[in-house]
Amino acid sequence: MSVVCQLSPGWLLDHLSFINKINYQVHQHHEPCCSKSEPTSSVYRDSLHMDSVSSFGSSTTFTASDSTIKLANDDGGNCELCIQKYVFRSELFDVTIPYITSAIHKECQQSNEKEDLMNGLKKEISISTVGKKRKRCVAFNQGEVDAMEYHTKIRELILDGSSQLIQEGFKSGFLHPLSEKGDKCREPLTLPLDTCNLSELCEMAKHLPSLNETELLTLQLMGEDVSVTGQDLFSRVVENNSSFTKMITVMGQRYLLPPKSSFLLSDISCMYPLLNCGKTYDVIVIDPPWQNKSVKRSKRYSYLSPLQIKQIPIPKLAAPDCLVITWVTNRQKHLRFVKEELYPSWSVELVAEWHWVKVTSSGEFVFPLDSPHKKPYEVLVLGRVREKAALPLRNADVKVLPIPDHKLIVSVPCTLHSHKPPLAG
């Protein structure tokens, strides 16, 4: 997990370091007649940029350069191997100040109190002048009460554990105190307009004809720079079995597929290509698009109902004793659903509940800990598949490690929407 430090409360992670440890190298062969003064490839990425000197000019957001190795052909001639290395844009983790500072939060509270006071005064005047009007009592709904109770229960765990990990982060140099001059006045990062349109591609998949059972369900990427149509990717498991990154071009945008990896770009109702591959998995991480007011307002993506989430075929994809990890919002209705309905329906036994705590590079919570609106933490619910079988599920030599409960993952979040920290080693 690119662990900066590990203590009894949990881990402090370097998310950016984890991404850049992946071998994002694209290999391209070129004839020696290619001009060295010209870039061999013009690549524009939302969150990845080329490592080293810029070859696209100052107007572009990304920097690029090629390193070249001369190789001998089978026919005795020469060719050049161009190696392009990509690294994630560090600016996307440049979170130096909280999204909402405690001072602003306090001002908002004071403003709300003043507004309530004025409203109360107006109500009192109204009551005194019109005898029939009654003063309305302000009460929290059940969801708000549940959220406050849950926060009260875990507050000390979050505060004490995070403080210990943050202090270690300062000692290691990973976190650093806020600079009074530079950091507070720094302008926020503006993301490019040509952002990733995978959500649009998934929406298109719903309107395309389904593949027949006899059609190719797996697409292996061969060659170097692979150009495929959106329809070629839909409802197929796309694999990169090589030791190098593959670049694929879809609808004019380029995507990097890491070595030894695969993906299925599909609507959740079309999972049979993945099921028909015959593979099962020891770890499954799920980040469902939960329904909430923010999603409804922004219309950024479609959400799934609890019934639709239940229909994800986890039992068919999970290996014996598979570890299932589900990201859950702070809405208690969703947390109860995972624990009491979703996991039992998948024969998954609840084993632990962890929290991801989001901090700035100066060690502050990204939101005030006691903010009634947004919290600086998210929940992970961990469980293991427990099949009702009399026979041992695994080889006796394979030990299933116990999962500790109430652990924290503390990290500086990525500014990209809903970008979660790594859980792999």
Side-chain angles (χ1 to χ4, degrees):
M1 293 192 292
S2 291
V3 176
V4 177
C5 66
Q6 178 178 353
L7 300 174
S8 58
W11 305 267
L12 175 65
L13 303 187
D14 183 353
H15 190 167
L16 177 63
S17 173
F18 174 85
I19 298 174
N20 287 337
K21 283 180 181 177
I22 299 174
N23 185 23
Y24 280 116
Q25 289 189 359
V26 178
H27 288 198
Q28 294 179 323
H29 290 84
H30 300 280
E31 295 300 322
C33 60
C34 291
S35 171
K36 288 288 291 179
S37 62
E38 297 178 358
T40 55
S41 177
S42 296
V43 182
Y44 296 85
R45 298 290 300 127
D46 300 337
S47 54
L48 291 154
H49 72 268
M50 298 292 294
D51 186 20
S52 55
V53 185
S54 172
S55 59
F56 297 143
S58 59
S59 62
T60 61
T61 311
F62 311 99
T63 58
S65 72
D66 305 329
S67 60
T68 306
I69 301 174
K70 290 187 177 180
L71 301 174
N73 287 332
D74 294 336
D75 57 5
N78 292 326
C79 69
E80 293 178 349
L81 175 63
C82 176
I83 302 175
Q84 298 175 322
K85 183 179 180 181
Y86 291 77
V87 293
F88 208 81
R89 291 176 57 188
S90 60
E91 312 97 283
L92 294 174
F93 287 93
D94 192 16
V95 182
T96 56
I97 59 175
Y99 302 141
I100 300 177
T101 63
S102 297
I104 294 176
H105 176 59
K106 190 173 181 180
E107 287 178 8
C108 290
Q109 283 186 321
Q110 292 174 346
S111 176
N112 290 336
E113 288 172 1
K114 289 179 181 179
E115 187 177 348
D116 291 341
L117 184 62
M118 292 300 296
N119 289 338
L121 182 60
K122 291 177 181 177
K123 287 178 183 177
E124 293 294 340
I125 294 172
S126 177
I127 290 171
S128 64
T129 54
V130 183
K132 293 183 179 180
K133 288 188 178 180
R134 299 179 64 185
K135 187 175 180 180
R136 186 173 65 90
C137 295
V138 178
F140 295 106
N141 61 43
Q142 189 60 47
E144 291 170 330
V145 172
D146 292 344
M148 288 188 290
E149 289 179 354
Y150 180 79
H151 177 70
T152 302
K153 183 174 66 174
I154 66 167
R155 186 183 187 280
E156 292 305 313
L157 168 73
I158 300 290
L159 185 59
D160 294 343
S162 299
S163 298
Q164 294 180 46
L165 291 164
I166 288 168
Q167 288 304 314
E168 289 299 315
F170 284 130
K171 292 178 184 178
S172 67
F174 174 68
L175 300 177
H176 47 81
L178 186 65
S179 169
E180 293 293 334
K181 293 182 179 180
D183 294 337
K184 287 187 177 180
C185 299
R186 186 178 302 174
E187 294 191 10
L189 174 67
T190 302
L191 295 178
L193 296 176
D194 55 338
T195 51
C196 172
N197 60 3
L198 285 179
S199 58
E200 286 81 359
L201 291 175
C202 291
E203 187 66 28
M204 287 175 57
K206 299 179 183 179
H207 307 290
L208 292 174
S210 301
L211 293 176
N212 298 322
E213 294 289 337
T214 56
E215 290 189 74
L216 181 66
L217 299 179
T218 302
L219 175 63
Q220 293 193 8
L221 299 180
M222 309 296 291
E224 293 163 353
D225 194 341
V226 182
S227 294
V228 291
T229 65
Q231 193 162 353
D232 289 334
L233 296 180
F234 291 138
S235 304
R236 287 187 174 92
V237 177
V238 182
E239 297 180 342
N240 175 17
N241 295 320
S242 72
S243 301
F244 302 99
T245 295
K246 295 292 184 183
M247 183 185 296
I248 58 176
T249 304
V250 184
M251 298 177 64
Q253 289 191 328
R254 297 189 178 188
Y255 300 88
L256 298 177
L257 185 60
K260 308 296 182 183
S261 64
S262 59
F263 70 90
L264 173 63
L265 181 63
S266 172
D267 181 68
I268 197 170
S269 62
C270 182
M271 298 284 285
Y272 68 86
L274 190 60
L275 296 171
N276 290 350
C277 287
K279 295 180 181 179
T280 56
Y281 303 90
D282 293 321
V283 179
I284 298 176
V285 181
I286 309 165
D287 187 10
W290 296 103
Q291 179 180 356
N292 60 58
K293 293 180 181 178
S294 175
V295 171
K296 281 185 175 181
R297 284 195 299 266
S298 66
K299 298 181 180 180
R300 186 174 302 187
Y301 55 81
S302 301
Y303 56 82
L304 294 179
S305 68
L307 179 60
Q308 289 172 311
I309 296 174
K310 266 184 169 182
Q311 291 172 348
I312 301 175
I314 294 299
K316 295 181 180 179
L317 296 171
D321 287 323
C322 169
L323 180 63
V324 179
I325 305 171
T326 304
W327 287 96
V328 188
T329 67
N330 287 316
R331 192 174 179 185
Q332 292 306 294
K333 177 182 177 180
H334 296 154
L335 189 57
R336 284 197 302 269
F337 165 71
V338 172
K339 293 179 178 180
E340 300 171 8
E341 296 184 47
L342 185 63
Y343 276 13
S345 71
W346 289 341
S347 299
V348 172
E349 177 187 353
L350 178 67
V351 295
E353 183 177 318
W354 292 2
H355 293 87
W356 172 35
V357 183
K358 294 172 272 190
V359 299
T360 68
S361 57
S362 57
E364 298 180 84
F365 293 127
V366 296
F367 292 106
L369 181 58
D370 297 319
S371 169
H373 305 294
K374 286 192 174 182
K375 296 292 190 291
Y377 56 80
E378 294 185 36
V379 186
L380 301 86
V381 181
L382 294 83
R384 281 203 185 276
V385 171
R386 303 298 190 195
E387 296 183 12
K388 299 176 182 178
L391 298 176
L393 297 179
R394 282 183 181 268
N395 188 308
D397 297 331
V398 179
K399 294 183 179 180
V400 178
L401 297 176
I403 303 296
D405 200 3
H406 302 302
K407 291 294 181 180
L408 303 182
I409 296 173
V410 179
S411 72
V412 179
C414 180
T415 56
L416 296 177
H417 175 71
S418 194
H419 203 81
K420 299 300 192 294
L423 302 178

